[in-house]
Amino acid sequence: MDFQNDLILRAAKGEPIERYPVWLMRQAGRILPEYKAVRGALSGFKELVETPERAAEVTIQPVDILGVDAAIIFSDILVVPEAMGLEYQMIEKKGPWFEKTIRSEEQLKYANVDFDVEDKLSYVTEAIRIANKELNGRVPLIGFAGAPWTIFCYMTEGQGSKTFSEARKILYTNPTLAHELLNRITNVTIKYLKAQIKAGVHIVQIFDSWAGILGDAQYAEFGLKYLDKIAKEITEVPVTLFAKGASNSNVKLADMNCQTIGIDWNTDIAETRKIVGENVTLQGNLDPCALYSSHKEIEGLTNEMLNSFESKRHIVNLGHGVYPDVNPEKVKTFIETVKNYEIKYK
Ligand code: CP3
């Protein structure tokens, strides 16, 4: 594939770059009025996810409107548990909700692995094909999946939670069940990421959004082990691993078969670089709330972050997804500041 702009791929691989690439987690959807218009013409979030032409359209909006250096396919991490047998609803202002949950061996029947992943999630691969056709090489397309631990949280808890105590309870009361479910999620996720790659994504990110609710030892056993399994299998494109809230584990992520690790905003980039060494790209990490400050302050905070980089191996992003009520003009200031920054490490 010939790209007009392949900065993110070069940065991921540690190749020379003329400036740092920038994109935002959750850039597709949420903040743009143009997204809300497309979504408003349909019955809701799920119809948008499952309609490849529309999903491709909102995938490209941030490239056209915000000028980011990569597109991320519009979908959700929850399509995997649904494909396995746990249907979800996306409830307005509340978030995801599953009617059934998995808390016993008997309920493992809602976590199937014996199905054709590519066929069942063909609405995602179709959206990838359409998005790439419309992008026509302007920027690379990012594929993604939830990490097994984060998917486990939703499959056992059945909804969002501040503590995910139902999910964590199982780690103590039935670790065998936990490992069985995590293994199943891992196997489906590997097939799913490979299907996305076959359909045309150029880099993949694995979101472990709830990594931070486990202690280090439990995260090693129930989280990292499965991330490692996935990373080992994905050899076709660069891999980004993001374990939000688990910065103690970043050194272990850096040793896995990945090119990039995501850094949340609580974690110091310069410190992380000292710990993980030079052979990995760091992605992040402006506080998403910084985008509520003035244009001038955003410029200052972004430059401060960029000045803390001591390597070319950076992809600029927020430390987590962009919040829904952020003004897109503020996002543009963030992006423009990164684009105007003169890189010291070529
Ligand atoms: O990055 C992108 O823009 C691509 C699309 C994307 C969505 N979800 C679309 C979405 C991605 C990468 C995700 C990942 C995702 N989904 C994660 C991991 C990343 C993270 O933020 O930690 C998680 C935990 C989910 C699960 C999920 N989906 C929740 C908890 C919610 C409700 C609250 C929220 O974040 O909005 C969703 C809904 C969702 N997924 C929306 C979008 C655009 C909002 C739905 C709408 O009202 O249009």
Side-chain angles (χ1 to χ4, degrees):
M1 179 102 210
D2 277 337
F3 290 103
Q4 282 169 39
N5 171 352
D6 66 346
L7 277 171
I8 187 175
L9 300 180
R10 281 188 274 141
K13 292 185 264 190
E15 294 171 5
I17 47 171
E18 53 283 2
R19 64 168 175 81
Y20 291 119
V22 56
W23 70 283
L24 287 85
M25 290 183 274
R26 312 298 290 272
Q27 69 189 14
R30 280 189 152 186
I31 56 165
L32 293 175
E34 291 83 354
Y35 164 77
K36 288 169 196 154
V38 175
R39 185 181 176 285
L42 301 171
S43 62
F45 175 74
K46 280 189 79 172
E47 191 184 350
L48 178 50
V49 166
E50 290 162 15
T51 308
E53 290 77 13
R54 296 286 83 78
E57 183 181 351
V58 299
T59 296
I60 295 166
Q61 283 175 345
V63 178
D64 290 336
I65 301 163
L66 303 171
V68 286
D69 293 311
I72 180 164
I73 191 65
F74 184 82
S75 185
D76 200 87
I77 63 169
L78 302 177
V79 302
V80 166
E82 182 160 89
M84 293 174 77
L86 273 188
E87 209 180 307
Y88 73 94
Q89 291 173 42
M90 193 59 77
I91 299 170
E92 198 69 37
K93 294 199 168 68
K94 204 171 161 279
W97 190 76
F98 293 80
E99 193 178 317
K100 300 190 196 100
T101 53
I102 297 173
R103 297 179 188 174
S104 68
E105 270 82 6
E106 203 261 325
Q107 290 164 328
L108 277 172
K109 62 180 183 239
Y110 306 128
N112 301 313
V113 282
D114 294 323
F115 64 94
D116 185 338
V117 176
E118 214 173 324
D119 180 58
K120 203 145 204 182
L121 291 166
S122 60
Y123 57 86
V124 181
T125 49
E126 188 54 23
I128 290 169
R129 286 190 195 92
I130 299 169
N132 260 334
K133 208 163 164 195
E134 289 172 13
L135 280 169
N136 196 19
R138 272 183 289 164
V139 291
L141 180 60
I142 305 168
F144 72 91
W149 165 246
T150 289
I151 298 299
F152 176 95
C153 283
Y154 287 103
M155 292 181 91
T156 54
E157 195 84 29
Q159 58 189 323
S161 164
K162 283 204 172 76
T163 57
F164 281 98
S165 55
E166 287 296 338
R168 291 190 295 119
K169 186 201 272 180
I170 298 168
L171 307 187
Y172 292 95
T173 58
N174 197 345
T176 309
L177 173 70
H179 282 301
E180 173 63 26
L181 182 52
L182 287 162
N183 261 310
R184 291 188 186 196
I185 299 165
T186 301
N187 292 339
V188 173
T189 301
I190 291 166
K191 287 185 192 154
Y192 178 48
L193 288 169
K194 285 193 180 279
Q196 292 185 43
I197 294 165
K198 201 170 124 198
V201 301
H202 308 106
I203 178 169
V204 295
Q205 173 156 335
I206 301 161
F207 288 90
D208 214 349
S209 305
W210 300 113
I213 62 175
L214 295 183
D216 293 345
Q218 269 192 334
Y219 188 56
E221 182 181 350
F222 297 100
L224 292 173
K225 184 177 153 191
Y226 296 99
L227 277 179
D228 188 42
K229 256 185 150 167
I230 295 174
K232 279 201 174 88
E233 291 288 332
I234 305 298
T235 50
E236 304 89 335
V237 299
V239 173
T240 303
L241 300 176
F242 178 39
K244 186 179 176 289
S247 56
N248 285 345
S249 298
N250 280 340
V251 65
K252 289 185 181 151
L253 294 182
D255 270 344
M256 292 183 191
N257 180 41
C258 70
Q259 284 64 34
T260 304
I261 56 179
I263 309 295
D264 59 37
W265 75 91
N266 306 87
T267 307
D268 188 82
I269 287 253
E271 279 301 311
T272 306
R273 176 61 73 196
K274 279 195 200 114
I275 296 164
V276 301
E278 293 297 320
N279 289 326
V280 67
T281 299
L282 302 181
Q283 176 175 275
N285 77 338
L286 191 73
D287 181 351
C289 278
L291 299 182
Y292 294 116
S293 57
S294 70
H295 289 280
K296 200 150 187 62
E297 280 164 329
I298 292 169
E299 212 181 301
L301 291 164
T302 305
N303 279 321
E304 204 177 292
M305 171 181 65
L306 293 162
N307 283 332
S308 79
F309 295 175
E310 292 171 14
S311 165
K312 62 177 182 284
R313 293 201 70 162
H314 286 273
I315 296 167
V316 179
N317 206 306
L318 303 177
H320 197 203
V322 62
Y323 297 134
D325 61 344
V326 161
N327 177 349
E329 291 305 316
K330 300 285 179 72
V331 175
K332 282 188 197 164
T333 299
F334 168 61
I335 291 167
E336 284 311 308
T337 309
V338 179
K339 288 187 171 179
N340 290 329
Y341 186 82
E342 201 176 325
I343 187 166
K344 297 184 213 57
Y345 310 93
K346 301 204 174 170

